[in-house]
Amino acid sequence: MHVFINIVPQAQLDWAKLSSLIEELANQSFAATTLNLQLPTEQSLTAEQQAQAASWHLSVNDLNLPSTPHNYLLNLRETDHVLPGALQQWDQLATQHPGSLISLAAFETTQNLDDQITAYFAEYESSATQQTFQTLTSTTPTTPTERQMTLWARQSYSIQTDLQTVGRLTQRLRPTGLLLPVTLLEHDLPLVSIAQAFHVLQLSQDVLRLHVPTIQRQIWAEATPVAWLDELQRIDVQSLGVMWQPVFTEYFQRQLNTLLDTAGKKNLSAADHVQLLSRIKELITPPTKVWSRLGLLRMVSPQMAHRLFY
């Protein structure tokens, strides 16, 4: 397996976080990777950053992917993290099931990683995999590094053929954090987009779900809710196959309710808040949560409510 890792900034490029991600990838000791930084047109690197990128063998805006078997595309934000042993785990899975879409479980970047790993061990303490591990080893991981490495021993995966299950589309439709077979990509679509992931999903025979997280990322609906709504709206439902239209329509409405929750909990700018709620008001259709309109009113000031509804 060769992995083309395409890194796209969440907003303005955070160079320190990019450096951290590059270091994590280098520590994987996995040679079959190509690294690219996909900068927006309005952003550029300083001369010093260009020199550093060259030393990392990090290309900039080179989106030419060789369309050969066993090649995968992985889009990441520079704010994401790759856990120890991740690439070896992906390679093992791709070798057994070449050409399949691989959905990666993830921890959250908004929470302490070691706390999440400890909670994960506690949640699956009675699982057969964990009991087998405890039988085979008498050591208990005591440091964060040891706990991260121990995750590998608990890794498992499933082959999912129910591609049109709405409840699982959140695992399968996202711009970042999926291993996409290069041979299934649509080169007229942006590499970092839900449209690209959806195109690959429709061409796939199955989805491989890697159950134990190997990456840490922030959910798009929470990190950049307006950008996530943009991504959802770029899908032309009428162009989808007959079987996919009702599936995506239901998924879309569920995501609007997710964004409503996000709007109420996150510290969005006033402009983003107004834009998000105004667009959701126009897009959401019955049946919706009973509290959706009331929820909108409770989230905003009287002045904003007047702008939205009167």
Side-chain angles (χ1 to χ4, degrees), residues 195 198 202 231-241 245 248:
F198 197 31
Q202 291 176 90
E231 289 292 331
L232 291 169
Q233 287 194 270
R234 289 193 181 103
I235 301 294
D236 180 6
V237 179
Q238 299 305 314
S239 68
L240 302 179
Q245 289 183 13
F248 184 79

Side-chain angles (χ1 to χ4, degrees), residues 80-91:
D80 295 337
H81 298 280
V82 178
L83 304 186
L87 280 151
Q88 285 86 351
Q89 294 176 64
W90 305 341
D91 182 55

Side-chain angles (χ1 to χ4, degrees), residues 17-208:
K17 290 185 177 179
L18 175 65
S19 301
S20 177
L21 177 59
I22 296 296
E23 181 179 359
E24 291 167 4
L25 291 168
N27 290 338
Q28 299 283 318
S29 299
F30 190 87
T33 58
T34 300
L35 304 180
N36 180 69
L37 174 63
Q38 184 177 331
L39 275 176
T41 54
E42 67 274 11
Q43 296 188 34
S44 60
L45 301 182
T46 65
E48 182 180 355
Q49 290 171 341
Q50 291 177 24
Q52 181 63 69
S55 71
W56 287 334
H57 303 288
L58 173 70
S59 61
V60 179
N61 290 336
D62 181 6
L63 304 179
N64 296 314
L65 283 70
S67 185
T68 55
H70 311 304
N71 282 13
Y72 278 84
L73 165 68
L74 174 66
N75 293 310
L76 294 174
R77 281 174 159 168
E78 87 279 21
T79 53
D80 295 337
H81 298 280
V82 178
L83 304 186
L87 280 151
Q88 285 86 351
Q89 294 176 64
W90 305 341
D91 182 55
Q92 291 171 356
L93 190 57
T95 300
Q96 295 180 60
H97 305 277
S100 292
L101 169 62
I102 301 176
S103 173
L104 303 175
F107 289 120
E108 292 280 353
T109 56
T110 54
Q111 302 174 34
N112 178 273
L113 177 59
D114 194 49
D115 288 347
Q116 291 180 83
I117 293 175
T118 301
Y120 184 91
F121 288 163
E123 182 179 359
Y124 294 101
E125 185 176 6
S126 61
S127 70
T129 302
Q130 185 144 322
Q131 289 179 350
T132 300
F133 177 81
Q134 290 171 343
T135 301
L136 295 175
T137 179
S138 58
T139 60
T140 300
T142 57
T143 68
T145 300
E146 289 175 349
R147 281 189 283 271
Q148 287 184 38
M149 295 304 297
T150 303
L151 283 173
W152 193 342
R154 290 161 167 76
Q155 187 59 266
S156 63
Y157 74 95
S158 59
I159 303 174
Q160 302 173 352
T161 57
D162 54 342
L163 303 187
Q164 295 174 345
T165 301
V166 175
R168 286 181 170 171
L169 287 187
T170 52
Q171 297 177 359
R172 302 165 182 174
L173 293 182
R174 55 180 191 263
T176 54
L178 294 171
L179 282 167
L180 304 174
V182 171
T183 53
L184 298 183
L185 296 178
E186 171 53 64
H187 296 287
D188 291 334
L189 294 173
L191 294 184
V192 185
S193 65
I194 189 177
Q196 186 68 259
F198 197 31
H199 173 79
V200 172
L201 177 62
Q202 291 176 90
L203 295 179
S204 298
Q205 300 299 313
D206 53 38
V207 174
L208 304 183

